Amino acid sequence: MSDEMGYQGEVVKRFMYVNRKAPYGTIYALENLETVLIAAAFDQDVSVVFVDDGVYQLKKGQDTKGIGMKNFSPTFRALDDYDVEKLYVEKESLEARGLTAEELVVPVEVVSTEELREIMAQQDVVLSC
Amino acid sequence: MLHTVNKSPFERNTLQSCLRLAQKGSAVLLIEDGVYGALSGTAHAGEIADRMDDFSFYVLGPDIAARGLGESPLIEGVQVVDYGGFVDLVAEHEVTNAWL
Amino acid sequence: MTYEYNGTVVETDEEGYITDISLWTRELAEFIAKDENIEMSNDHWEVVNFLRDYYEEYQIAPAVRVLIKAIKKSLGTDKGNSKYLYELFPYGPAKQACKIAGLPKPTGCI
């Protein structure tokens, strides 16, 4: 594995967070997002993947007032400030749900299953949920 | 990479997604409710049986026994491991991806 | 923990961050600041207001590095640097200013 050194000399690892669950039915999506922000605050090389129902986390127009939960979809737009720039959405998952990249809250890189498989294989740490 | 799957293929698409996104040559270990995917003769058995050339499949014995499946036939080629074998698999692979 | 001011009681977590952000008022901010030995100036308010706007837009209290970068982007390098912000908020521009702004502890602070 090709660990490189960060600006303060710490080892930087490639962390991939794989989101597979829709946003509000379980706590996984929110918890995973918080973990992403913490990893990013520690200057790790973070990428975030959305497959299966995970793509629903990025759907525009979420309004959670009626269910008494925090709408965390705006936080995906803060990822850029945290230098998390690699957001991948699996094309097949998106299309299977009748969605397009234009309906998502942030710009993402839409990748094929094949491409995603390659990117996943290059990681030091993969955290799926 | 070692992939672990802990959900039944009858309830979730976890196994399907794992097998879709894992690279050929990976090891796949079925644990907890994931062990139902290792049984032969079920409606989902083909998902593993058809990918025998691509992956090495393992299943955690104690989880099989706990579910009353100790005598049930497994898909041919799936290897049963105990907790020690689980640890060995984790140690043999640089990265472990736990599919939930 | 609680803050009591003007006859109002506001609950906080064990570190002094208020638990219901809708109860925040400017008076409460002044009160928390005093508790932190900070006299609120216009410069302090600028940062506190910036944080509240950031939270409103992104639903998150930014980590200090992110805050500095974001302030630099919108208010310029005179203010978007750690020296300036630590002078205003000696115990950490993100942690301390978030507390005064009535926001949760920044994500990424352990």
Side-chain angles (χ1 to χ4, degrees), chain A residues 26-90:
Chain A
T26 62
I27 197 70
Y28 285 100
L30 176 58
E31 297 264 311
N32 212 27
L33 177 56
E34 290 187 345
T35 319
V36 166
L37 294 170
I38 290 167
F42 281 90
D43 291 317
Q44 299 301 304
D45 178 356
V46 175
S47 56
V48 189
V49 172
F50 300 87
V51 298
D52 298 333
D53 281 353
V55 302
Y56 286 134
Q57 294 177 26
L58 298 178
K59 177 71 178 67
K60 271 183 191 164
Q62 295 174 34
D63 177 357
T64 58
K65 283 196 265 320
I67 61 170
M69 295 174 85
K70 177 171 155 165
N71 174 7
F72 56 89
S73 64
T75 306
F76 290 112
R77 292 189 287 107
L79 287 176
D80 191 48
D81 288 345
Y82 278 75
D83 295 323
V84 176
E85 286 151 356
K86 285 170 277 192
L87 304 184
Y88 303 109
V89 170
E90 189 198 23

Coordinates of all heavy atoms in Angstrom, one line a residue, chain A residues 26-90:
Chain A
T26 N -32.8 4.5 9.1 CA -31.9 4.0 10.1 C -30.9 5.2 10.3 O -30.8 6.1 9.5 CB -31.1 2.8 9.6 OG1 -30.3 3.1 8.4 CG2 -32.0 1.6 9.3
I27 N -30.1 5.0 11.3 CA -29.1 6.1 11.7 C -27.8 6.0 10.9 O -27.0 6.8 11.0 CB -28.9 6.0 13.2 CG1 -28.2 7.3 13.8 CG2 -28.0 4.8 13.6 CD1 -29.1 8.5 13.8
Y28 N -27.7 4.9 10.1 CA -26.4 4.6 9.5 C -25.9 5.8 8.6 O -24.7 6.1 8.7 CB -26.5 3.4 8.5 CG -26.5 2.1 9.3 CD1 -27.7 1.4 9.5 CD2 -25.4 1.5 9.7 CE1 -27.8 0.2 10.2 CE2 -25.4 0.2 10.3 CZ -26.6 -0.4 10.6 OH -26.6 -1.6 11.2
A29 N -26.8 6.4 7.8 CA -26.3 7.4 6.9 C -25.8 8.6 7.6 O -24.7 9.1 7.3 CB -27.5 7.8 6.0
L30 N -26.5 9.1 8.6 CA -26.0 10.2 9.4 C -24.7 9.9 10.1 O -23.7 10.7 10.1 CB -27.1 10.7 10.4 CG -26.7 11.8 11.3 CD1 -26.3 13.1 10.5 CD2 -27.9 12.1 12.2
E31 N -24.6 8.7 10.7 CA -23.4 8.4 11.4 C -22.2 8.3 10.5 O -21.1 8.7 10.8 CB -23.6 7.0 12.1 CG -24.7 7.1 13.2 CD -24.2 7.3 14.6 OE1 -23.2 6.7 15.0 OE2 -24.7 8.2 15.3
N32 N -22.5 7.7 9.3 CA -21.4 7.6 8.3 C -20.9 8.9 7.9 O -19.7 9.1 7.8 CB -21.9 6.8 7.1 CG -20.8 5.9 6.5 OD1 -19.8 5.5 7.2 ND2 -20.9 5.6 5.2
L33 N -21.8 9.9 7.7 CA -21.4 11.2 7.3 C -20.5 11.9 8.4 O -19.5 12.5 8.1 CB -22.7 12.0 7.0 CG -22.4 13.5 6.6 CD1 -21.5 13.6 5.4 CD2 -23.8 14.2 6.3
E34 N -20.9 11.7 9.6 CA -20.1 12.3 10.7 C -18.7 11.7 10.7 O -17.7 12.4 11.0 CB -20.8 12.1 12.0 CG -22.1 13.0 12.1 CD -22.7 13.1 13.4 OE1 -22.5 12.2 14.3 OE2 -23.6 14.0 13.6
T35 N -18.7 10.4 10.5 CA -17.4 9.7 10.4 C -16.5 10.2 9.3 O -15.3 10.4 9.4 CB -17.5 8.2 10.3 OG1 -18.6 7.8 11.1 CG2 -16.3 7.4 10.7
V36 N -17.1 10.5 8.2 CA -16.4 11.1 7.0 C -15.8 12.4 7.4 O -14.6 12.7 7.1 CB -17.4 11.3 5.8 CG1 -16.8 12.2 4.7 CG2 -17.8 9.9 5.2
L37 N -16.6 13.2 8.1 CA -16.1 14.6 8.5 C -14.9 14.5 9.4 O -14.0 15.3 9.4 CB -17.2 15.4 9.1 CG -18.3 15.7 8.1 CD1 -19.5 16.3 8.8 CD2 -17.8 16.7 7.0
I38 N -15.0 13.5 10.3 CA -13.9 13.3 11.3 C -12.6 12.9 10.6 O -11.6 13.4 10.8 CB -14.3 12.4 12.4 CG1 -15.4 13.0 13.3 CG2 -13.1 12.0 13.3 CD1 -16.1 12.1 14.2
A39 N -12.8 11.9 9.7 CA -11.6 11.4 9.0 C -11.0 12.6 8.2 O -9.8 12.7 8.1 CB -12.0 10.3 8.0
A40 N -11.9 13.4 7.6 CA -11.4 14.5 6.7 C -10.7 15.5 7.6 O -9.7 16.1 7.2 CB -12.5 15.2 6.0
A41 N -11.2 15.8 8.8 CA -10.6 16.7 9.7 C -9.2 16.2 10.1 O -8.3 17.0 10.5 CB -11.4 16.9 11.0
F42 N -8.9 14.9 10.0 CA -7.6 14.4 10.3 C -6.8 14.3 9.1 O -5.8 13.5 9.0 CB -7.7 13.0 11.0 CG -8.0 13.2 12.5 CD1 -9.3 13.2 12.9 CD2 -7.0 13.3 13.4 CE1 -9.6 13.3 14.3 CE2 -7.3 13.4 14.8 CZ -8.6 13.4 15.2
D43 N -7.2 15.0 8.0 CA -6.4 15.1 6.8 C -6.1 13.7 6.1 O -5.1 13.5 5.6 CB -5.0 15.8 7.1 CG -5.2 17.2 7.4 OD1 -6.0 17.9 6.7 OD2 -4.6 17.7 8.3
Q44 N -7.1 12.8 6.2 CA -7.0 11.6 5.5 C -7.5 11.8 4.1 O -8.2 12.7 3.8 CB -7.7 10.5 6.2 CG -7.2 10.2 7.6 CD -5.7 9.8 7.7 OE1 -5.3 8.9 7.0 NE2 -4.9 10.6 8.4
D45 N -7.1 10.8 3.2 CA -7.5 10.9 1.8 C -8.9 10.2 1.7 O -8.9 8.9 1.7 CB -6.4 10.2 0.9 CG -6.8 10.2 -0.5 OD1 -8.0 10.6 -0.9 OD2 -6.0 9.7 -1.3
V46 N -9.9 10.9 1.7 CA -11.3 10.4 1.9 C -12.0 10.4 0.6 O -12.0 11.4 -0.1 CB -12.0 11.2 2.9 CG1 -13.5 10.7 3.0 CG2 -11.4 11.1 4.3
S47 N -12.6 9.3 0.3 CA -13.6 9.2 -0.8 C -14.9 8.7 -0.3 O -14.9 7.9 0.6 CB -13.1 8.4 -2.0 OG -12.8 7.1 -1.6
V48 N -16.0 9.2 -0.9 CA -17.3 8.8 -0.4 C -18.1 8.2 -1.6 O -18.2 8.8 -2.7 CB -18.1 9.9 0.2 CG1 -19.4 9.4 0.9 CG2 -17.3 10.7 1.2
V49 N -18.7 7.0 -1.4 CA -19.4 6.3 -2.5 C -20.8 6.1 -2.1 O -21.2 5.9 -1.0 CB -18.7 4.9 -2.6 CG1 -19.5 4.1 -3.6 CG2 -17.3 5.0 -3.1
F50 N -21.7 6.3 -3.1 CA -23.1 6.1 -2.9 C -23.6 5.0 -3.9 O -23.5 5.2 -5.1 CB -23.9 7.4 -3.2 CG -23.4 8.5 -2.2 CD1 -22.4 9.3 -2.6 CD2 -24.1 8.7 -1.0 CE1 -21.9 10.3 -1.7 CE2 -23.7 9.7 -0.1 CZ -22.6 10.5 -0.5
V51 N -24.0 3.9 -3.3 CA -24.6 2.8 -4.2 C -25.9 2.3 -3.5 O -26.2 2.7 -2.4 CB -23.6 1.6 -4.3 CG1 -22.3 2.0 -5.0 CG2 -23.3 0.9 -2.9
D52 N -26.6 1.5 -4.3 CA -27.9 1.0 -3.8 C -28.7 2.2 -3.3 O -28.7 3.3 -3.8 CB -27.7 -0.1 -2.8 CG -27.0 -1.3 -3.3 OD1 -27.1 -1.5 -4.6 OD2 -26.3 -2.0 -2.6
D53 N -29.5 2.0 -2.2 CA -30.3 3.0 -1.6 C -29.5 4.2 -1.1 O -30.1 5.2 -0.8 CB -31.2 2.5 -0.5 CG -32.4 1.7 -1.1 OD1 -32.6 1.7 -2.3 OD2 -33.2 1.1 -0.3
G54 N -28.2 4.1 -1.0 CA -27.4 5.2 -0.5 C -27.5 6.4 -1.4 O -27.4 7.5 -1.0
V55 N -27.8 6.2 -2.7 CA -28.0 7.3 -3.6 C -29.1 8.2 -3.2 O -29.1 9.4 -3.5 CB -28.2 6.9 -5.1 CG1 -27.0 6.1 -5.6 CG2 -29.5 6.2 -5.3
Y56 N -30.1 7.7 -2.5 CA -31.2 8.5 -2.0 C -30.8 9.5 -1.0 O -31.5 10.5 -0.7 CB -32.3 7.6 -1.4 CG -33.1 6.8 -2.3 CD1 -33.4 5.5 -2.1 CD2 -33.7 7.4 -3.5 CE1 -34.2 4.7 -3.0 CE2 -34.5 6.7 -4.4 CZ -34.7 5.4 -4.2 OH -35.5 4.7 -5.0
Q57 N -29.6 9.3 -0.3 CA -29.1 10.3 0.6 C -28.9 11.7 -0.1 O -29.0 12.7 0.6 CB -27.8 9.9 1.3 CG -28.0 8.6 2.2 CD -26.6 8.2 2.7 OE1 -25.7 9.0 2.8 NE2 -26.5 6.9 3.0
L58 N -28.6 11.6 -1.4 CA -28.2 12.8 -2.1 C -29.4 13.5 -2.8 O -29.2 14.5 -3.5 CB -27.1 12.5 -3.1 CG -25.8 12.0 -2.5 CD1 -24.8 11.6 -3.6 CD2 -25.2 13.0 -1.6
K59 N -30.6 12.9 -2.7 CA -31.7 13.5 -3.5 C -32.0 14.9 -3.0 O -32.1 15.2 -1.8 CB -33.0 12.6 -3.2 CG -34.3 13.0 -3.8 CD -34.3 12.9 -5.3 CE -35.6 13.3 -5.9 NZ -35.9 14.7 -5.8
K60 N -32.2 15.8 -4.0 CA -32.5 17.2 -3.7 C -33.9 17.3 -3.1 O -34.7 16.4 -3.3 CB -32.6 17.9 -5.1 CG -31.3 18.6 -5.5 CD -31.5 19.4 -6.8 CE -30.1 19.8 -7.4 NZ -30.3 20.2 -8.8
G61 N -34.1 18.4 -2.4 CA -35.5 18.7 -2.0 C -35.9 18.0 -0.7 O -37.1 18.0 -0.5
Q62 N -35.0 17.5 0.1 CA -35.4 16.8 1.3 C -36.0 17.8 2.3 O -35.4 18.9 2.5 CB -34.2 16.0 1.9 CG -33.7 14.9 1.0 CD -32.5 14.2 1.5 OE1 -32.3 14.1 2.7 NE2 -31.6 13.8 0.6
D63 N -37.1 17.5 2.9 CA -37.7 18.4 3.9 C -38.2 17.5 5.1 O -39.2 16.8 4.9 CB -38.9 19.1 3.2 CG -39.7 20.0 4.2 OD1 -39.3 20.0 5.4 OD2 -40.6 20.6 3.8
T64 N -37.5 17.5 6.2 CA -37.7 16.6 7.3 C -38.5 17.2 8.4 O -38.7 16.6 9.4 CB -36.4 16.1 7.8 OG1 -35.6 17.3 8.3 CG2 -35.5 15.4 6.8
K65 N -39.0 18.4 8.2 CA -39.8 19.1 9.3 C -40.9 18.1 9.8 O -41.1 18.0 11.0 CB -40.4 20.4 8.8 CG -39.4 21.5 8.6 CD -40.1 22.9 8.5 CE -40.3 23.4 7.1 NZ -39.3 23.3 6.1
G66 N -41.6 17.5 8.9 CA -42.7 16.7 9.3 C -42.4 15.4 10.0 O -43.2 14.8 10.6
I67 N -41.1 15.0 10.0 CA -40.7 13.7 10.7 C -39.9 14.0 11.9 O -39.4 13.0 12.6 CB -40.1 12.7 9.8 CG1 -38.7 13.2 9.2 CG2 -41.0 12.2 8.7 CD1 -37.9 12.2 8.5
G68 N -39.6 15.3 12.2 CA -38.9 15.6 13.4 C -37.4 15.1 13.4 O -36.9 14.8 14.5
M69 N -36.8 15.0 12.3 CA -35.4 14.6 12.2 C -34.6 15.7 11.5 O -35.2 16.5 10.7 CB -35.3 13.3 11.4 CG -35.9 12.1 12.2 SD -35.9 10.6 11.2 CE -34.3 9.9 11.6
K70 N -33.3 15.7 11.7 CA -32.5 16.7 11.1 C -32.3 16.3 9.7 O -31.9 15.2 9.3 CB -31.2 16.8 11.9 CG -30.2 17.7 11.3 CD -29.0 17.9 12.2 CE -27.8 18.3 11.4 NZ -26.7 18.8 12.3
N71 N -32.5 17.3 8.8 CA -32.2 17.1 7.4 C -30.7 17.3 7.2 O -30.2 18.5 7.2 CB -33.0 18.1 6.5 CG -32.6 18.1 5.1 OD1 -31.8 17.2 4.6 ND2 -33.1 19.0 4.3
F72 N -29.9 16.3 7.0 CA -28.5 16.4 6.9 C -28.0 16.5 5.4 O -26.8 16.6 5.2 CB -27.7 15.3 7.7 CG -28.1 13.9 7.3 CD1 -27.4 13.3 6.2 CD2 -29.1 13.2 7.9 CE1 -27.7 12.0 5.9 CE2 -29.5 11.9 7.6 CZ -28.8 11.3 6.5
S73 N -28.9 16.5 4.5 CA -28.5 16.5 3.1 C -27.7 17.8 2.8 O -26.7 17.8 1.9 CB -29.6 16.3 2.1 OG -30.6 17.4 2.2
P74 N -27.9 19.0 3.4 CA -27.1 20.2 3.1 C -25.6 20.0 3.5 O -24.8 20.6 2.9 CB -27.7 21.3 3.9 CG -29.1 20.9 4.2 CD -29.1 19.4 4.3
T75 N -25.4 19.1 4.4 CA -24.0 18.9 4.9 C -23.1 18.3 3.8 O -21.9 18.5 3.8 CB -24.0 18.0 6.2 OG1 -24.9 18.6 7.1 CG2 -22.6 17.9 6.8
F76 N -23.7 17.6 2.9 CA -22.9 17.0 1.8 C -22.3 18.1 1.0 O -21.2 18.0 0.4 CB -23.8 16.1 0.8 CG -24.2 14.8 1.5 CD1 -25.5 14.6 1.8 CD2 -23.2 13.9 1.8 CE1 -25.9 13.4 2.4 CE2 -23.6 12.7 2.4 CZ -24.9 12.4 2.7
R77 N -22.9 19.3 1.0 CA -22.4 20.4 0.2 C -21.2 21.1 1.0 O -20.4 21.8 0.4 CB -23.4 21.5 -0.1 CG -24.5 21.0 -1.1 CD -25.4 22.1 -1.5 NE -26.4 22.4 -0.5 CZ -26.3 23.6 0.2 NH1 -25.4 24.5 -0.1 NH2 -27.2 23.8 1.1
A78 N -21.0 20.7 2.3 CA -19.9 21.2 3.0 C -18.6 20.3 2.8 O -17.5 20.7 3.2 CB -20.2 21.4 4.5
L79 N -18.8 19.2 2.2 CA -17.7 18.3 2.1 C -16.5 18.9 1.4 O -15.3 18.6 1.7 CB -18.1 17.0 1.4 CG -19.0 16.0 2.2 CD1 -19.5 14.8 1.4 CD2 -18.2 15.5 3.5
D80 N -16.8 19.7 0.4 CA -15.8 20.4 -0.4 C -14.9 21.3 0.5 O -13.7 21.3 0.4 CB -16.4 21.3 -1.4 CG -15.4 21.8 -2.4 OD1 -14.6 21.0 -2.9 OD2 -15.4 23.0 -2.7
D81 N -15.5 21.9 1.5 CA -14.7 22.7 2.5 C -13.8 21.8 3.3 O -12.8 22.3 3.8 CB -15.7 23.5 3.5 CG -16.4 24.6 2.8 OD1 -16.0 25.0 1.7 OD2 -17.4 25.1 3.4
Y82 N -14.2 20.6 3.5 CA -13.4 19.6 4.3 C -12.4 18.9 3.3 O -11.8 18.0 3.8 CB -14.3 18.6 4.9 CG -14.9 19.1 6.2 CD1 -16.0 20.0 6.3 CD2 -14.4 18.6 7.5 CE1 -16.5 20.4 7.5 CE2 -15.0 19.0 8.7 CZ -16.0 19.9 8.7 OH -16.6 20.3 9.9
D83 N -12.3 19.4 2.1 CA -11.4 18.8 1.1 C -11.7 17.4 0.8 O -10.9 16.6 0.4 CB -9.9 18.9 1.6 CG -9.4 20.3 1.7 OD1 -9.8 21.2 0.8 OD2 -8.7 20.6 2.6
V84 N -13.0 17.1 0.9 CA -13.5 15.8 0.5 C -14.1 16.0 -0.9 O -15.1 16.6 -1.0 CB -14.5 15.2 1.4 CG1 -15.1 13.9 0.8 CG2 -13.9 14.9 2.8
E85 N -13.3 15.7 -1.9 CA -13.7 16.1 -3.3 C -14.1 14.8 -4.1 O -14.6 15.0 -5.2 CB -12.5 16.8 -4.0 CG -12.4 18.2 -3.4 CD -11.0 18.8 -3.5 OE1 -10.1 18.0 -3.9 OE2 -10.8 19.9 -3.1
K86 N -13.8 13.7 -3.6 CA -14.1 12.5 -4.4 C -15.4 11.9 -3.9 O -15.5 11.1 -3.0 CB -13.0 11.5 -4.2 CG -11.7 11.9 -5.0 CD -10.5 11.0 -4.7 CE -9.9 11.6 -3.4 NZ -8.5 11.0 -3.2
L87 N -16.5 12.2 -4.6 CA -17.8 11.7 -4.4 C -18.2 10.8 -5.6 O -18.3 11.4 -6.7 CB -18.8 12.8 -4.2 CG -18.6 13.8 -3.1 CD1 -19.8 14.7 -2.9 CD2 -18.3 13.1 -1.7
Y88 N -18.4 9.5 -5.4 CA -18.7 8.6 -6.5 C -20.1 8.1 -6.3 O -20.5 7.7 -5.2 CB -17.8 7.5 -6.6 CG -16.3 7.8 -6.7 CD1 -15.4 7.7 -5.6 CD2 -15.8 8.4 -7.9 CE1 -14.1 8.0 -5.7 CE2 -14.5 8.7 -8.0 CZ -13.6 8.5 -6.9 OH -12.3 8.9 -7.1
V89 N -20.9 8.1 -7.4 CA -22.2 7.5 -7.4 C -22.2 6.4 -8.5 O -21.8 6.7 -9.6 CB -23.3 8.5 -7.7 CG1 -24.6 7.8 -8.0 CG2 -23.4 9.5 -6.5
E90 N -22.7 5.2 -8.1 CA -22.7 4.1 -9.1 C -23.8 4.4 -10.1 O -25.0 4.5 -9.7 CB -22.9 2.8 -8.4 CG -22.7 1.6 -9.4 CD -23.3 0.3 -8.8 OE1 -24.2 0.4 -8.0 OE2 -22.8 -0.7 -9.3

